[in-house]
Amino acid sequence: MNKNISHVVLCGDRKKKLDKFNIHVLIFVLYHNRAIAEFLSRDLSSQLLPEDVYLTVGCTQAIEIIVSVLARPGANILLPKPGYPQYEARAAFDHLEVRHFDLIPEKGWEVDLDSVEALVDNNTAAIVVINPSNPCGNVFTYQHLKKIAETAKKLGIFVISDEVYGRLAFASNPFVPMGKFSSIVPVLTLGSISKTWIVPGWRLGWIVKNDPEGILEKTGVVDSIKNYLDITCDPATFVQGAIPQIIERTKESFFSNIIGIMREAVDILYDMIKEIPCITCPHKPEGSMVVLVKLNLSALEGIDDDIQFCLKLSKEESVIVLPGVTVGLKNWLRITFAVEPQVLKEGLERIKAFSQRHAKKQ
Ligand SMILES: *Cc1c(COP(=O)(O)O)cnc(C)c1O
């Protein structure tokens, strides 16, 4: 969005004509940024401003920008394990060192805060949290998020909160945005319309600054984000233009309907997984659209690891699940439940049949 404006400024000889355009662009920017700021502020204690919002080409570009901005020689970033592999891929590309902290399955995939403390040094820039979680399917409690914020403050790092599944919480823990704790520690919130509005192809996301003390401004992070935006591409203008309508006219019933569908899917999934001996689910999903389950290889014959399990399953049963190694946990499986109940049942029946066929003979 900033780029649009500087373009106009650059075309000096046609300035008069373009001044009008400039004003249009500015109003346009205000409209969609304000819509996003107001939408996200509903769950916060303080009001976000349009200037706190930076538009990106989906959450994927938000990740790309944040990682690039932090990639200085010697710097490192803390990422969750298991996590979303886009962060690792981007960090490798930008030569930013990655340090992994654990999420604990027995504790509902909470962050192992002791392992976080042990990882940090003077060159650590930030910690990434994904809530609701892909790949784990959990939703952090208010108390746990506060503890993460306090730990980050103590360690002198800021928080990057990937809330691309924001609001998609369907169990007892409500979705709490990390921005709620911005008076403790600065937070950059990443999000998009892909998952919450179920339009993954529309490629519109955001980086939102929750930083009442202006700390990120002082460290130069905000300027770097703006500079990056100046030299990259924007989301398609017609999607930008549609944002106020998409956000303001989406009724609460749209979200509650999706949440109802997800809840039904999770119940089917959780019950049917209990009938598959080689798979255990340590924590019933509470949010997002995915779950991580443990594969017990000792119950199987002729299958050495999660990759082999997934390859054979796709070949024999035409069911696709993701090997856990791709999200940081070898011999686990990530299952997506964002499918029709009937299809989900059929898929799980096929996984069961597959497991029985490959079961170790007693
Ligand atoms: C899907 C996803 C993204 C990317 O979102 P897009 O808006 O589709 O680019 C980022 N983070 C997580 C955790 C995701 O699951």
Side-chain angles (χ1 to χ4, degrees):
M1 54 176 179
N2 295 317
K3 188 181 62 183
N4 285 349
I5 300 167
S6 49
H7 259 334
V8 177
V9 175
L10 285 177
C11 304
D13 50 335
R14 290 164 65 198
K15 184 124 183 35
K16 232 190 161 79
K17 226 178 179 177
L18 284 165
D19 264 344
K20 229 187 212 157
F21 176 64
N22 200 345
I23 288 164
H24 272 113
V25 170
L26 266 172
I27 292 172
F28 203 48
V29 166
L30 275 179
Y31 270 131
H32 51 58
N33 282 25
R34 170 158 295 140
I36 294 167
E38 280 176 3
F39 177 77
L40 296 177
S41 297
R42 287 185 209 168
D43 299 319
L44 294 170
S45 344
S46 57
Q47 183 75 26
L48 291 165
L49 300 173
E51 304 86 277
D52 296 325
V53 178
Y54 305 101
L55 286 196
T56 59
V57 182
C59 191
T60 300
Q61 198 199 29
I63 295 170
E64 175 184 318
I65 293 171
I66 289 296
V67 171
S68 299
V69 159
L70 298 179
R72 310 218 166 122
N76 67 74
I77 188 170
L78 309 185
L79 299 181
K81 181 182 154 194
Y84 184 66
Q86 189 76 28
Y87 288 90
E88 279 81 357
R90 201 62 224 180
F93 191 79
D94 286 331
H95 305 291
L96 175 61
E97 186 197 333
V98 162
R99 298 183 180 179
H100 286 109
F101 58 89
D102 293 320
L103 304 178
I104 311 169
E106 296 78 21
K107 286 192 175 173
W109 298 107
E110 281 193 347
V111 175
D112 178 358
L113 289 168
D114 294 335
S115 81
V116 170
E117 297 211 16
L119 292 174
V120 170
D121 64 17
N122 286 338
N123 293 319
T124 307
I127 176 170
V128 173
V129 290
I130 304 171
N131 182 48
S133 166
N134 177 11
C136 307
N138 67 295
V139 177
F140 290 134
T141 61
Y142 180 98
Q143 284 310 329
H144 189 63
L145 288 166
K146 189 162 177 236
K147 266 196 206 152
I148 295 172
E150 282 162 353
T151 306
K153 183 195 169 80
K154 183 172 133 196
L155 299 171
I157 58 178
F158 71 94
V159 179
I160 296 164
S161 190
D162 183 329
E163 295 172 8
V164 79
Y165 289 97
R167 291 179 150 243
L168 293 181
F170 34 78
S172 54
N173 296 347
F175 164 66
V176 177
M178 195 76 202
K180 261 234 149 59
F181 307 100
S182 62
S183 58
I184 299 174
V185 72
V187 177
L188 286 178
T189 303
L190 315 187
S192 80
I193 59 173
S194 301
K195 314 282 168 64
T196 313
W197 281 267
I198 328 270
V199 284
W202 290 19
R203 318 307 310 132
L204 189 134
W206 50 77
I207 300 170
V208 170
K209 176 165 64 92
N210 297 270
D211 183 23
E213 315 287 339
I215 295 167
L216 294 173
E217 216 98 33
K218 277 181 219 136
T219 57
V221 170
V222 171
D223 275 341
S224 297
I225 292 171
K226 287 181 185 164
N227 288 342
Y228 196 112
L229 288 167
D230 276 344
I231 56 165
T232 191
C233 57
D234 298 326
T237 47
F238 61 89
V239 182
Q240 292 188 39
I243 279 294
Q245 303 252 357
I246 293 171
I247 289 183
E248 283 152 22
R249 292 220 191 153
T250 301
K251 298 202 177 81
E252 216 36 58
S253 60
F254 174 81
F255 300 113
S256 50
N257 182 37
I258 292 169
I259 283 170
I261 294 169
M262 290 302 172
R263 211 174 261 146
E264 187 189 347
V266 161
D267 286 341
I268 293 170
L269 178 94
Y270 196 66
D271 288 345
M272 287 185 71
I273 280 179
K274 285 186 200 148
E275 295 168 18
I276 307 174
C278 67
I279 292 174
T280 45
C281 179
H283 190 73
K284 188 175 177 179
E286 305 161 320
S288 82
M289 303 169 174
V290 293
V291 65
L292 208 55
V293 296
K294 196 166 166 52
L295 185 60
N296 177 13
L297 288 170
S298 65
L300 298 167
E301 202 151 276
I303 294 175
D304 298 333
D305 60 19
D306 51 346
I307 295 195
Q308 234 183 46
F309 182 94
C310 295
L311 287 175
K312 284 192 174 166
L313 179 68
S314 69
K315 209 166 172 181
E316 295 176 22
E317 298 286 349
S318 301
V319 173
I320 308 292
V321 298
L322 193 66
V325 68
T326 60
V327 295
L329 278 192
K330 193 172 163 61
N331 296 336
W332 287 66
L333 304 169
R334 197 204 67 163
I335 302 175
T336 301
F337 49 80
V339 286
E340 304 263 331
Q342 227 19 67
V343 178
L344 184 63
K345 278 183 200 158
E346 168 80 33
L348 289 160
E349 284 296 349
R350 289 189 195 189
I351 296 177
K352 188 175 165 185
F354 174 87
S355 304
Q356 283 165 346
R357 209 161 53 242
H358 292 275
K360 195 161 270 176
K361 310 283 176 297
Q362 311 263 311

